[in-house]
Amino acid sequence: QAFSNTELTKNLFTAPARLEFAAQLQWDLGRRSQARRSITRALDISEGLLAQTSSGAVREGLLTEMSSAYETAFKFAAQSGDLSGAFSVVERVRGRITAETLVQPAHFIGGQMNIALEDEIRNRKVRLIRAKSESERGRLIDMLFYSEQQRFVADRPAQVYTSRIEAVPLQRVTAGLDKDEALLEYVLIEDGDGYCLALTQGGAKIVHLRAAKEISGLALNFLNDIQTDKQWKQDARALYDAVLAPIPDINRFGRLTIVPDGNLHLVPFEALLSPSGTVVGQIASTSYAPSAVSNFFLKTRTGLQRAKSFLCVGGAVYDPAAAKSFTLAKATPRGAYLGADLTKLPNLPGSLEEVKTAAEILRPEGDAVLQVGDGATEFAFTHAPLANFQVVHLAIHAMADKDDPSRAALIFPPDPQHSDDGLLEPRDIVA
């Protein structure tokens, strides 16, 4: 009845949630075929709504609102033992934004950069850095946001690349993994259980974990230990038991690719403690990916093998006097906007040696490009021919916000010569 009223009121944005409620009710009553039809319909309507908007903000909001329906669909597939269905559901939303970026890299309207627009954005950033009043900063931030949306938003419905994403079947993803590699894609159902899609070259399994809230709590305990300098080994071992120990034959894999969910995004898996008392990082090489299909695209994208060079940034001079702290200035507008105290960032010990050693190992023939010391600036990095490099290695400061990922940044030293505050945010990187 609620869904029928949705059609009468034309408020289609409420339809997926109402269908999800019906699906859950049908599932609890044992009408599982009906439930799966209802939740599939909810997802299809969501996709239709997504296809009708070109606004990045609206699309992000839709994906957020749809996440509950996707969780329900995944839960139905997992509890039914439908491995392909579970994989399809989680990839349908999780890898969406990243995969769209990878299969359609020309985000600029017309496929080319609008130089005038880029100059406008840069000028507004400079004005933002120099602005003194809070009202002026607020106005400039709004103007900057609008300008940046013009990079990606044309006045027409956005193309949807779901077919390209879903055209990569589970078997093809597993076949692309190395023999000693396990890709572990975690799903933590809100008010439900945790799951892991364990993918290897030999196949895939749905691994049922303990309650999602318990896993999230263990993750936060472990992080709190590290952040407050407490004894961490007991919690590192407990989290290992919750998220890695249930994976069949976990000890035989020398490479782990982690697709985290929820609070697991905050966890360094390489620091978890195995039953032998050894941290995971000493047993296996650990990397992270936004989704299994995104990882597949990253491995197989065209042009990758033609790029031979290696760009490394390190030894950045945050504190010219090598004092304990440097002053990017408390009044730095973007630092305040991002909610970060950027007044106490020291030079990073060992970062210069780190990038030099990496360059020697990865590019012994000498085709590495080093941006070090006074040359390690945001301007130098963003004006390098980034598309020509196979590997980009950054040994600089960074900050993150677990509640708002857009308020994150790579932090270069301030560069008065080019009016740069040194903050490279996600929206800058996308551009």
Side-chain angles (χ1 to χ4, degrees):
Q1 287 176 342
F3 181 67
S4 297
N5 286 333
T6 299
E7 294 180 327
L8 289 173
T9 62
K10 307 299 182 185
N11 186 9
L12 290 177
F13 285 89
T14 65
R18 292 175 176 180
L19 280 168
E20 181 193 357
F21 182 88
Q24 185 62 64
L25 184 59
Q26 290 162 343
W27 185 269
D28 292 342
L29 292 171
R31 302 174 187 172
R32 300 200 162 188
S33 296
Q34 283 183 310
R36 297 188 75 165
R37 283 197 297 270
S38 293
I39 200 64
T40 299
R41 191 176 182 188
L43 298 180
D44 289 342
I45 291 174
S46 299
E47 294 286 356
L49 294 171
L50 201 63
Q52 295 307 309
T53 177
S54 60
S55 165
V58 174
R59 289 169 68 79
E60 184 178 351
L62 273 171
L63 284 168
T64 301
E65 291 299 319
M66 289 155 52
S67 63
S68 177
Y70 282 109
E71 282 190 354
T72 299
F74 176 86
K75 179 176 66 177
F76 289 173
Q79 291 180 2
S80 301
D82 180 3
L83 182 58
S84 294
F87 177 78
S88 177
V89 167
V90 73
E91 288 296 326
R92 191 172 181 178
V93 63
R94 179 172 289 172
R96 184 64 174 273
I97 298 301
T98 306
E100 283 187 14
T101 302
L102 292 170
V103 300
Q104 185 70 12
H107 270 278
F108 294 102
I109 297 171
Q112 294 181 346
M113 181 183 293
N114 184 330
I115 300 299
L117 178 61
E118 294 306 306
D119 285 343
E120 178 183 282
I121 290 172
R122 185 169 186 82
N123 289 335
R124 284 181 174 169
K125 285 184 178 179
V126 171
R127 289 166 60 193
L128 177 61
I129 294 168
R130 294 174 177 169
K132 295 182 179 179
S133 72
E134 185 175 345
S135 61
E136 185 181 3
R137 288 198 295 270
R139 183 176 62 85
L140 286 168
I141 286 170
D142 289 340
M143 292 171 65
L144 186 59
F145 177 82
Y146 176 76
S147 297
E148 288 176 332
Q149 298 315 299
Q150 292 180 277
R151 283 169 165 165
F152 316 109
V153 179
D155 189 17
R156 60 180 183 273
Q159 299 182 56
V160 179
Y161 299 96
T162 310
S163 59
R164 290 288 303 277
I165 297 166
E166 294 181 341
V168 181
L170 175 60
Q171 292 78 8
R172 192 174 175 195
V173 173
T174 55
L177 298 174
D178 295 330
K179 285 185 179 180
D180 67 338
E181 180 182 7
L183 188 148
L184 307 178
E185 184 154 15
Y186 290 91
V187 179
L188 302 183
I189 306 292
E190 187 175 357
D191 297 324
D193 291 338
Y195 296 88
C196 178
L197 290 177
L199 279 55
T200 67
Q201 197 179 81
K205 292 183 176 68
I206 300 175
V207 181
H208 191 171
L209 307 175
R210 60 185 73 178
K213 282 186 177 179
E214 184 180 350
I215 294 172
S216 293
L218 290 171
L220 292 178
N221 290 342
F222 174 53
L223 291 167
N224 182 63
D225 292 342
I226 296 173
Q227 292 166 352
T228 58
D229 201 24
K230 293 180 180 177
Q231 292 296 320
W232 55 274
K233 291 188 176 181
Q234 182 175 349
D235 286 326
R237 180 77 175 83
L239 189 54
Y240 180 99
D241 287 343
V243 298
L244 288 178
I247 310 303
D249 301 320
I250 186 64
N251 292 326
R252 76 176 181 86
F253 298 105
R255 294 186 59 194
L256 299 177
T257 301
I258 307 295
V259 181
D261 192 21
N263 286 335
L264 293 181
H265 277 288
L266 309 174
V267 171
F269 275 66
E270 49 270 65
L272 300 185
L273 204 60
S274 69
S276 67
T278 306
V279 294
V280 170
Q282 292 178 306
I283 302 172
S285 173
T286 307
S287 60
Y288 300 85
S291 77
V293 170
S294 296
N295 188 61
F296 173 85
F297 281 134
L298 284 167
K299 281 187 169 184
T300 59
R301 68 192 189 278
T302 58
L304 180 64
Q305 299 307 318
R306 293 198 301 272
K308 296 180 179 179
S309 296
F310 173 51
L311 173 64
C312 42
V313 182
V317 183
Y318 295 94
D319 176 16
K324 290 186 177 180
S325 63
F326 82 105
T327 52
L328 183 56
K330 292 182 180 180
T332 297
R334 285 214 290 172
Y337 169 66
L338 294 170
D341 180 4
L342 303 177
T343 64
K344 300 178 181 178
L345 294 182
N347 296 333
L348 283 170
S351 63
L352 179 61
E353 292 80 2
E354 175 184 326
V355 296
K356 285 184 175 180
T357 303
E360 291 173 3
I361 294 170
L362 291 174
R363 293 288 173 258
E365 61 271 26
D367 63 345
V369 175
L370 277 70
Q371 293 180 352
V372 298
D374 291 333
T377 66
E378 179 187 2
F379 183 87
F381 178 72
T382 56
H383 285 72
L386 297 175
N388 294 340
F389 297 101
Q390 184 180 20
V391 177
V392 176
H393 181 104
L394 295 156
I396 60 176
H397 282 295
M399 61 185 177
D401 187 323
K402 66 185 180 69
D403 296 319
D404 185 356
S406 67
R407 294 193 173 194
L410 295 170
I411 307 175
F412 293 83
D415 183 6
Q417 180 182 350
H418 296 100
S419 300
D420 278 338
D421 62 1
L423 296 177
L424 193 69
E425 298 173 64
R427 55 190 180 183
D428 301 318
I429 295 169
V430 169

